[in-house]
Amino acid sequence: MGSCSGLDFDWAIQKYEYLNLVGVILLEFFSQDSFLGCFRDVLVDSRLVLPGDVPKDSDVQANIVAGCSDRDKCEDSPCQNRGRCVSQGWRRYACECHRPYEGDDCAEEYITGRFGNKDLESYAMFSLDNDPGDFVVISMFIRTRQSSGLLLILANTTSQYLRLWLVEGRVKVQVNNFETLVGRNTVNNGHFHLVAVKLEGTAATLLLSAQTQGSMAIRRVQAHPGDLVFVGGLPDSRASASFGGYFKGCVQDLRINSKHLQFYPVSTPVESYNLEKLVGVSEGCSSDNACAANPCLNGGECYSMWDDFICSCPPNTAGQRCEEVKWCELSPCPVTTICQPLSQGFEYAVIPGQISILWYHSNKKIKSNLSSVSLSFRTRQSEAVLLHAQRDSDHITISLLDSHLVTELLDGADHDSLKVTAESLAPLSDGEWHFVSISKERQFPTSRWIMDVDGHKEYISVSKAAVGDLNFLRDGADIFLGGLSQECGLTFSGCLGPVEIGGLHLPFHLETELNLPRPQEEQFVRGNSNNSPQYGCWGATVCAPNPCQNGGMCEDLFDQHQCTCPSEWTGSLCQDQTDTCNSHPCVNGNCTNLSEGYKCECEPGFTGEQCEVEMDMCENSSCNYGATCLKSFQSYTCLCPRNMTGHFCELPQLPASFCAGTRWNYSCFNGGNCSEAENTCYCLPGFTGQW
């Protein structure tokens, strides 16, 4: 093996020392303002130092690469989070960061402050240490699902001169306790929104995500060092309640002009105002577990969202919390009814039926104001009780008296002053369906009751004092359909349709007859189980056996019949033979009654079964040789051709003779000859006349 000479070894040591010296010099540069550029042909004592080969594990060189490239650093996209890279000369760049990012490469995000976590009170307080000037821009990102809450207040020792809070999900700005501006768009959808308020002299502008929401004229605002900035609420909870309470949500990158208000500072040095107090504000933008309270009803499955939840509802349910049960899809009602969905349950529309006396009472959970009664009925009874309800001296009775509907209402102990009565104008016991609604019309200063019968309003006469509502039926009252009480012998004979008091049904079925119990809280409950209505509306069997005689057809008109008789019979039961000539069937003739109808003797010139056809006298005329028949009443005349004559134009036309008289000339027709006597003719046999 070869060995190094002493000279070569010494050179190696010198080169190493020289490189150390260069490194020290470069480090000195880096410690101040590092040299950025290229070295070429660096010689020490005529020996090449840079560039040179150095072992990889050597600490002689740092951040030095071979070559001298001037490639733009922005081509490497060093700016993160959509930051814009700006070239600063040879191999230098700067990043212009989008909010809420900061740092040389826009890699650091301003830390979000979470307010109102788990609905706890929270707020932050900052103090101003400079004068922002006449042009002030307050901006921040907010995220919330609440429709109300305090965002920010700027205050001095005497007043709150700038307020921002949420009203119905919109940002509201108030300056100097007077000038007010409300944004057009809502911000409580759970997304981040950039809210900015710009105060410039005597004008204020509200912006949302750089879109103007409105402007207004204001009195000039001047902020001073020592003024306080409250974020999310005030130390006094009652004062915060005036602005919708404490803010619940997140605030990020809050600034006044370009100076920051940081709840938790970032590592990048930025100019910020002093944080004086931080209460209940946590780092980050975490979400409350909205599913912890099991908000989904009726077996719905809850899925958490940011400060919200969504329910996956089972079949037959709907609504945000699966609170709307589609009860009628569960077939809860008996087959004789029609299910009707309600907001809190279901009811059923009954097929109208005949009832015995039914008894009802409330379930003692009715809180609604009862001020109406509605029902439908069909009967031929002239005297009957449809509905009667009573508690102590208070009562309401709806009945038929002399076929007219009568309503009597008594509310209170003073019967003379609190009694209301009404009677329908027309009789209603006609076997037809009638629809009745009795309701209270509220007017100032008194009220009056209205009875509506088949869509025709009839105002009920009211005594001196106005009568109250039907709230005595909410607890402890007995309600009867079809009579005054269960012991009453006189019952209603007819059909009743749906009956409601204050919009609550009186069910014809017992709860045990339903496939599912009614879930609504407020109910009237049927009490007696021994009386059951008959479903379907029909009266007595008035057509069996058939009361109509002589082949008449019976029609059932609900507890009454009507006979349709053959033409030869009449009367309510088709018992009387019809006088067929009473209707004057013969138009142009005389009528004669027969055992099986009638016979018409027609006047001359008419024919037909009822002498209704005028005869054509020319139809069988005796006009000859092309003569024209001329009709007249009961006869005809023949109009003969020139060469024919006679009554029926049956004779040929004879030649005429021309005669000269002493006074005038004349002619003798039909072969007649001139006579010697003045103005006369000699006629042939069969002809007469002067000429």
Side-chain angles (χ1 to χ4, degrees):
M1 295 180 62
S3 61
C4 295
S5 66
L7 179 61
D8 292 335
F9 182 75
D10 291 341
W11 163 239
I13 293 174
Q14 291 177 10
K15 183 175 181 181
Y16 184 77
E17 291 174 348
Y18 292 150
L19 290 175
N20 277 331
L21 176 61
V22 173
V24 171
I25 296 172
L26 291 177
L27 286 173
E28 184 68 24
F29 280 131
F30 278 115
S31 64
Q32 297 176 7
D33 190 5
S34 301
F35 172 76
L36 180 64
C38 300
F39 284 108
R40 178 178 178 182
D41 298 336
V42 179
L43 302 174
V44 179
D45 289 341
S46 300
R47 294 184 182 274
L48 182 64
V49 176
L50 288 175
D53 296 328
V54 178
K56 292 183 179 180
D57 56 352
S58 172
D59 57 357
V60 173
Q61 294 183 6
N63 197 25
I64 297 176
V65 297
C68 189
S69 173
D70 60 352
R71 183 171 179 268
D72 189 351
K73 294 288 287 185
C74 285
E75 294 181 10
D76 297 330
S77 301
C79 303
Q80 302 179 36
N81 298 305
R82 300 181 298 110
R84 177 174 173 264
C85 184
V86 179
S87 180
Q88 299 289 321
W90 189 73
R91 297 188 62 80
R92 286 185 180 273
Y93 68 92
C95 290
E96 295 179 352
C97 303
H98 289 287
R99 299 179 65 174
Y101 297 99
E102 191 61 81
D104 293 338
D105 295 331
C106 304
E108 189 169 18
E109 184 177 1
Y110 283 101
I111 299 173
T112 304
R114 167 65 177 180
F115 290 76
N117 201 19
K118 298 181 180 179
D119 296 319
L120 298 177
E121 296 179 359
S122 59
Y123 67 94
M125 184 175 71
F126 297 85
S127 62
L128 302 185
D129 55 11
N130 68 343
D131 183 352
D134 291 336
F135 184 79
V136 178
V137 178
I138 300 171
S139 60
M140 58 183 154
F141 288 98
I142 65 169
R143 183 185 188 187
T144 186
R145 290 193 185 275
Q146 302 299 308
S147 60
S148 61
L150 179 59
L151 292 176
L152 182 143
I153 284 181
L154 262 174
N156 53 31
T157 57
T158 60
S159 67
Q160 299 171 355
Y161 54 86
L162 177 64
R163 297 165 174 163
L164 276 75
W165 72 100
L166 294 178
V167 177
E168 297 180 352
R170 293 173 170 84
V171 178
K172 185 172 183 177
V173 180
Q174 188 178 74
V175 181
N176 297 320
N177 297 320
F178 181 72
E179 297 95 348
T180 303
L181 178 64
V182 180
R184 295 190 299 269
N185 300 332
T186 58
V187 296
N188 61 333
N189 58 0
H191 300 299
F192 273 105
H193 296 273
L194 178 59
V195 177
V197 176
K198 183 168 63 175
L199 306 177
E200 187 175 8
T202 58
T205 305
L206 173 63
L207 300 101
L208 182 61
S209 300
Q211 300 295 319
T212 301
Q213 298 290 293
S215 300
M216 63 178 175
I218 61 170
R219 291 169 290 167
R220 189 179 299 274
V221 172
Q222 185 65 49
H224 299 283
D227 290 354
L228 298 178
V229 182
F230 295 94
V231 183
L234 294 167
D236 186 353
S237 59
R238 289 178 298 178
S240 298
S242 302
F243 304 97
Y246 287 94
F247 176 68
K248 181 179 175 66
C250 299
V251 178
Q252 185 182 25
D253 195 4
L254 173 59
R255 305 181 184 185
I256 297 179
N257 293 340
S258 60
K259 198 166 182 176
H260 298 267
L261 294 87
Q262 298 191 79
F263 312 111
Y264 295 93
V266 295
S267 59
T268 302
V270 293
E271 190 178 9
S272 301
Y273 287 110
N274 296 326
L275 175 64
E276 302 292 343
K277 186 179 289 187
L278 193 66
V279 178
V281 180
S282 58
E283 184 176 343
C285 193
S286 60
S287 171
D288 282 351
N289 183 8
C291 289
N294 297 319
C296 302
L297 305 176
N298 301 307
E301 188 172 355
C302 184
Y303 294 93
S304 287
M305 302 170 61
W306 186 85
D307 266 12
D308 203 357
F309 64 91
I310 187 170
C311 293
S312 177
C313 299
N316 306 315
T317 62
Q320 183 183 6
R321 301 173 60 232
C322 310
E323 73 277 9
E324 300 173 13
V325 180
K326 301 176 183 177
W327 292 103
C328 291
E329 294 183 9
L330 301 175
S331 302
C333 303
V335 294
T336 55
T337 65
I338 301 171
C339 185
Q340 293 180 330
L342 302 178
S343 59
Q344 299 297 327
F346 69 91
E347 271 297 352
Y348 52 86
V350 299
I351 299 172
Q354 297 172 304
I355 66 168
S356 51
I357 296 177
L358 300 179
W359 168 54
Y360 298 89
H361 58 85
S362 78
N363 65 350
K364 299 184 178 180
K365 296 181 180 179
I366 298 176
K367 305 298 181 184
S368 301
N369 189 50
L370 305 180
S371 58
S372 65
V373 178
S374 63
L375 56 86
S376 57
F377 69 93
R378 181 187 188 189
T379 188
R380 289 193 182 274
Q381 263 187 308
S382 59
E383 316 282 338
V385 175
L386 302 179
L387 180 147
H388 176 73
Q390 184 167 2
R391 188 191 67 181
D392 300 330
S393 61
D394 302 331
H395 73 266
I396 179 173
T397 303
I398 302 175
S399 59
L400 288 168
L401 183 63
D402 193 21
S403 297
H404 290 74
L405 187 74
V406 177
T407 298
E408 181 178 288
L409 172 60
L410 186 66
D411 182 12
D414 189 346
H415 292 198
D416 293 331
S417 62
L418 297 178
K419 190 173 182 180
V420 173
T421 58
E423 181 176 329
S424 65
L425 299 177
L428 304 179
S429 301
D430 54 5
E432 300 293 332
W433 277 105
H434 295 283
F435 301 89
V436 179
S437 173
I438 302 168
S439 59
K440 189 174 184 180
E441 182 184 72
R442 300 191 180 278
Q443 292 183 333
F444 183 82
T446 60
S447 302
R448 58 180 175 178
W449 288 82
I450 301 174
M451 182 166 66
D452 187 309
V453 180
D454 296 331
H456 303 289
K457 289 185 177 180
E458 302 174 13
Y459 289 92
I460 298 177
S461 59
V462 182
S463 58
K464 296 179 181 178
V467 174
D469 299 311
L470 303 175
N471 292 336
F472 65 87
L473 303 178
R474 296 193 296 198
D475 188 15
D478 292 317
I479 305 171
F480 298 97
L481 289 182
L484 288 172
S485 67
Q486 295 186 82
E487 295 77 21
C488 179
L490 181 63
T491 61
F492 171 69
S493 175
C495 298
L496 275 179
V499 181
E500 295 182 9
I501 298 177
L504 304 178
H505 288 254
L506 299 185
F508 287 174
H509 287 81
L510 296 169
E511 289 295 310
T512 55
E513 297 176 310
L514 301 179
N515 300 328
L516 291 174
R518 294 182 297 162
Q520 52 265 39
E521 183 177 6
E522 298 182 324
Q523 298 183 31
F524 286 108
V525 181
R526 197 183 126 194
N528 52 340
S529 59
N530 52 341
N531 293 336
S532 296
Q534 300 176 8
Y535 300 103
C537 187
W538 55 85
T541 53
V542 294
C543 286
N546 188 356
C548 303
Q549 305 173 23
N550 300 305
M553 295 180 61
C554 181
E555 181 181 0
D556 191 336
L557 300 178
F558 188 77
D559 283 351
Q560 183 175 299
H561 72 271
Q562 176 176 301
C563 291
T564 302
C565 304
S567 59
E568 61 270 20
W569 296 96
T570 188
S572 60
L573 299 176
C574 308
Q575 72 276 14
D576 299 325
Q577 192 171 15
T578 304
D579 183 355
T580 54
C581 288
N582 277 345
S583 60
H584 305 287
C586 303
V587 180
N588 296 289
N590 296 319
C591 179
T592 302
N593 274 309
L594 302 176
S595 59
E596 296 183 356
Y598 63 90
K599 180 181 179 182
C600 290
E601 296 178 359
C602 299
E603 297 174 358
F606 295 93
T607 186
E609 186 177 343
Q610 295 178 309
C611 306
E612 75 280 10
V613 180
E614 184 179 356
M615 295 178 62
D616 186 356
M617 303 304 295
C618 288
E619 184 176 358
N620 298 310
S621 71
S622 300
C623 298
N624 295 310
Y625 302 111
T628 301
C629 180
L630 301 177
K631 276 195 306 184
S632 63
F633 185 67
Q634 299 182 4
S635 65
Y636 66 93
T637 302
C638 294
L639 179 62
C640 299
R642 178 179 289 275
N643 57 344
M644 300 300 294
T645 189
H647 185 68
F648 299 111
C649 304
E650 72 278 12
L651 300 174
Q653 180 77 41
L654 297 176
S657 300
F658 179 77
C659 302
T662 56
R663 288 184 298 176
W664 57 71
N665 298 329
Y666 62 94
S667 297
C668 294
F669 299 96
N670 295 311
N673 295 314
C674 300
S675 69
E676 295 177 357
E678 186 72 20
N679 299 329
T680 60
C681 297
Y682 293 111
C683 298
L684 293 177
F687 295 94
T688 60
Q690 183 178 2
W691 293 300

